[in-house]
């Protein structure tokens, strides 16, 4: 199947049970759009009419494996160099990423993996982890919260009980910050640092949803634009915010012309923002390549786990490596196996730095592989043909919900090592390929356990 073809194959991993549609199409559309309003979320002409429901066993598998693989990802990234400077050199990080590290190396390393969301598709043999997003700025928490609010309103009985299980992203994040405050010995006052310019809207609702939840549940919190961040530390001690969420990435702010100096100043004055800048090493696709190839310290069980859940991934340079038990010259091999591979830059978001071999011409693929091999900052990964699930959908101009087969990219949220909800994005028209929520016909939903 070409990556742009329509998904027709479903997979038993998703289970056979689907939740009934509980309201007319117009009502569902209005509730979903009202819930996510003023957050910068794109308009979606195709929307789910019910949550994606999967068996409890499948739901638990994603979080269990995410936690285990995240530990391996962290160890792999940190071993790349003894110090931050060594890792920056090993990963050939651009100069823009050489900042926002805290002075205490132990603190910098310890709190790098507080927030994570891998991207997973269901392949022929089950879940396949395509990449790890390790960052306080990852998408999913706010969106999952908004979608869950709608589904709970539609499905809960008079006692507030819903016919499915789920995790609340905001509740788990609040608990993470309480735990971190206790561990660090600081007052639990939480700064959420981001920018409405990053969201593309003037409203602060994207950030207010979370800070209001924290404040309503006994955890003092405030949203800060970078220009206001000095107020988090340049004030009387009892009003300071010693801990916070770093809800932005350096590349996004560089592109928007937003300076990060206020953030560095806050870090230097005792405001710890998680995940720390070291999370960039964990998020790099190079780490996935190193882990897939195997590390000397891995146990047999860890190697089996990686082989089962990570598609074959290699850091692309002129060298030899293994493919299905045989030795190959990596660059010529990558050129010759275009239709079986995906090329990914080490750093990138929203699929912008991804080339699916099936979708490229021979000339385009050869040129891209040649450029990437010379840089040493990209990986090639085995293409995974996604399997789908059946989902009730509503569409603009359609009066009744209808059933479709979609291939979701699943994103289990893990905060402080604890499951915090399951986000999903997919092409609402049933296509496969690189799914970006900003792309045409893209849709999102949350996933619940039944």
């Amino acid at each position: 199947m070409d990556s742009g073809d329509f998904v027709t194959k479903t997979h038993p991993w998703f289970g056979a049970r689907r939740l009934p549609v509980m309201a007319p199409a117009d009502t569902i559309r209005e509730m979903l759009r009202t819930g996510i309003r003023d957050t910068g979320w794109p308009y979606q002409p195709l929307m789910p009419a019910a949550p994606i429901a999967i068996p409890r066993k499948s739901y638990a598998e994603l979080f269990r494996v995410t936690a285990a693989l995240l530990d391996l990802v962290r160890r792999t990234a940190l071993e790349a160099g003894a110090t931050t400077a060594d890792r920056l050199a090993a990963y050939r990080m651009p100069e823009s990423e050489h900042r926002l590290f805290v002075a205490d190396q132990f603190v910098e390393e310890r709190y790098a993996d507080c927030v994570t969301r891998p991207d997973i598709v269901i392949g022929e043999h089950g879940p396949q982890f395509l990449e790890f997003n390790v960052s306080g700025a990852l998408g999913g928490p706010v969106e999952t919260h908004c979608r869950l609010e709608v589904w709970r309103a539609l499905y809960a009985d008079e006692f507030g009980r819903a016919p499915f299980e789920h995790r609340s992203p905001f509740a788990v994040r609040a608990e993470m910050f309480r735990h971190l405050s206790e561990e660090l010995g600081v007052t639990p006052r939480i700064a959420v640092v981001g920018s409405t310019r990053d969201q593309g809207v003037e409203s602060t609702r994207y950030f207010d949803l979370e800070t209001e939840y924290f404040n309503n549940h006994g955890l003092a919190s405030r949203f800060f634009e970078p220009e206001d961040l000095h107020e988090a530390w340049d004030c009387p001690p009892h009003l300071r915010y010693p801990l916070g969420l770093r809800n932005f990435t350096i590349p996004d702010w560089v592109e928007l012309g937003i300076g990060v100096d206020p953030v560095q100043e806050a870090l230097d004055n005792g405001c710890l923002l998680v995940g720390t800048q070291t999370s960039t090493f964990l998020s790099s696709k190079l780490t996935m390549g190193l882990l897939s190839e195997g590390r000397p310290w891995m146990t047999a069980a860890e190697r089996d786990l990686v082989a089962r859940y990570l598609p074959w991934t290699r850091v692309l340079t002129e060298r030899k490596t293994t493919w299905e038990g045989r030795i190959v010259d990596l660059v010529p091999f990558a050129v010759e196996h275009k239709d079986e591979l995906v090329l990914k830059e080490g750093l990138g978001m929203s699929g912008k730095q991804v080339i699916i071999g099936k979708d490229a011409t021979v000339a385009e693929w050869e040129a891209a592989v040649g450029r990437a091999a010379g840089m040493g900052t990209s990986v090639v990964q085995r293409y995974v043909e996604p399997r789908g699930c059946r989902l009730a959908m509503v569409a603009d101009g359609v009066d009744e919900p209808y059933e479709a087969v979609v291939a979701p990219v699943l994103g289990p949220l893990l905060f402080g090592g604890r499951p915090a909800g399951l986000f999903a994005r997919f092409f609402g028209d049933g296509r496969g390929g690189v799914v970006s929520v900003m792309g045409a016909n893209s849709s999102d939903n949350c996933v619940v356990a039944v």
Side-chain angles (χ1 to χ4, degrees):
M1 182 191 77
D2 287 343
S3 57
D5 285 352
F6 288 87
V7 177
T8 58
K9 296 180 180 178
T10 59
H11 198 285
W13 184 92
F14 288 104
R17 183 178 172 188
R18 297 190 298 279
L19 293 169
V21 176
M22 300 299 287
D26 286 344
T27 300
I28 294 172
R29 279 194 294 261
E30 180 63 24
M31 292 179 71
L32 289 172
R33 287 172 180 157
T34 298
I36 203 73
R37 70 189 185 280
D38 299 328
T39 63
W41 208 235
Y43 182 87
Q44 297 178 358
L46 307 172
M47 306 189 78
I52 297 174
I54 64 175
R56 291 184 178 89
K57 184 176 182 181
S58 297
Y59 192 87
E61 178 185 19
L62 294 184
F63 290 103
R64 180 177 68 253
V65 177
T66 295
L69 289 177
L70 179 61
D71 177 62
L72 299 180
V73 165
R74 182 178 188 277
R75 291 164 63 188
T76 299
L78 293 182
E79 76 154 357
T83 66
T84 291
D86 294 336
R87 291 173 204 133
L88 289 170
Y91 278 82
R92 303 183 187 182
M93 284 290 179
E95 286 296 324
S96 59
E97 298 293 329
H98 289 221
R99 45 188 163 175
L100 301 189
F101 294 94
V102 300
D104 189 320
Q105 188 76 42
F106 174 76
V107 170
E108 176 65 43
E109 294 178 8
R110 180 166 178 78
Y111 301 111
D113 60 352
C114 289
V115 182
T116 192
R117 190 212 73 215
D119 285 345
I120 304 166
V121 296
I122 305 305
E124 181 182 1
H125 303 295
Q128 292 288 286
F129 286 64
L130 304 184
E131 63 182 68
F132 263 82
N133 303 285
V134 188
S135 164
L138 53 82
V142 172
E143 298 79 9
T144 299
H145 168 82
C146 291
R147 300 318 191 194
L148 277 172
E149 291 286 288
V150 171
W151 301 136
R152 284 196 58 82
L154 288 174
Y155 287 89
D157 62 18
E158 65 269 28
F159 301 106
R161 298 174 301 195
F164 52 75
E165 296 178 5
H166 64 88
R167 301 291 184 271
S168 165
F170 291 172
V172 177
R173 188 122 79 183
E175 190 58 31
M176 177 191 79
F177 279 123
R178 289 191 181 96
H179 173 77
L180 291 178
S181 298
E182 182 177 353
E183 180 172 299
L184 292 163
V186 298
T187 303
R189 291 171 58 81
I190 309 305
V192 174
V193 181
S195 178
T196 57
R197 288 160 285 178
D198 206 354
Q199 303 307 121
V201 292
E202 294 183 2
S203 171
T204 60
R205 186 170 185 266
Y206 180 88
F207 305 100
D208 293 342
L209 283 166
E210 187 159 14
T211 57
E212 288 174 4
Y213 181 95
F214 289 170
N215 285 311
N216 291 337
H217 289 79
L219 186 65
S221 181
R222 176 185 161 187
F223 165 59
F224 290 90
E225 289 274 359
E227 293 82 1
D228 303 322
L229 191 51
H230 62 94
E231 298 176 14
W233 57 269
D234 189 13
C235 57
H238 69 285
L239 298 178
R240 293 173 185 165
Y241 291 82
L243 189 60
L245 179 70
R246 180 180 148 168
N247 205 331
F248 69 92
T249 69
I250 292 176
D252 280 345
W253 278 16
V254 168
E255 184 177 337
L256 293 167
I258 303 174
V260 299
D261 288 347
V263 179
Q264 187 65 66
E265 196 173 19
L267 294 173
D268 294 342
N269 282 276
C271 181
L272 176 64
L273 302 177
V274 297
T276 57
Q277 177 65 10
T278 293
S279 65
T280 305
F281 302 120
L282 279 64
S283 288
S284 172
K285 280 58 162 202
L286 302 188
T287 302
M288 292 282 286
L290 295 170
L291 183 57
S292 173
E293 197 154 8
R295 313 313 300 157
W297 43 263
M298 289 170 64
T299 67
E302 290 168 341
R303 292 179 185 275
D304 289 344
L305 182 79
V306 169
R308 177 178 177 182
Y309 288 102
L310 263 62
W312 178 96
T313 308
R314 293 293 187 269
V315 178
L316 184 60
T317 57
E318 291 280 2
R319 64 191 181 91
K320 294 184 182 297
T321 188
T322 57
W323 167 272
E324 297 183 346
R326 60 190 176 91
I327 304 297
V328 298
D329 286 315
L330 182 54
V331 174
F333 172 85
V335 170
E336 294 166 7
H337 290 72
K338 176 179 79 72
D339 291 348
E340 298 175 69
L341 299 174
V342 179
L343 178 65
K344 300 181 177 182
E345 290 185 20
L347 297 182
M349 296 177 294
S350 303
K352 296 177 183 177
Q353 294 81 19
V354 176
I355 300 175
I356 297 177
K358 290 172 178 282
D359 295 343
T361 66
V362 171
E364 290 170 344
W365 179 255
E366 289 183 358
V369 168
R371 288 193 301 270
M375 298 290 291
T377 55
S378 296
V379 300
V380 281
Q381 184 175 82
R382 185 196 291 266
Y383 173 73
V384 179
E385 181 180 337
R387 299 300 198 268
C389 63
R390 298 187 181 278
L391 179 65
M393 297 287 295
V394 293
D396 287 355
V398 176
D399 294 333
E400 298 293 333
Y402 60 93
E403 188 174 90
V405 176
V406 299
V409 178
L410 303 172
L413 300 165
L414 210 67
F415 300 157
R418 293 186 58 207
L422 183 50
F423 182 58
R425 63 188 195 274
F426 51 92
F427 286 118
D429 61 6
R431 288 182 296 121
V434 180
V435 185
S436 168
V437 293
M438 299 301 175
N441 293 324
S442 65
S443 305
D444 74 283
N445 203 354
C446 63
V447 184
V448 297
V450 293

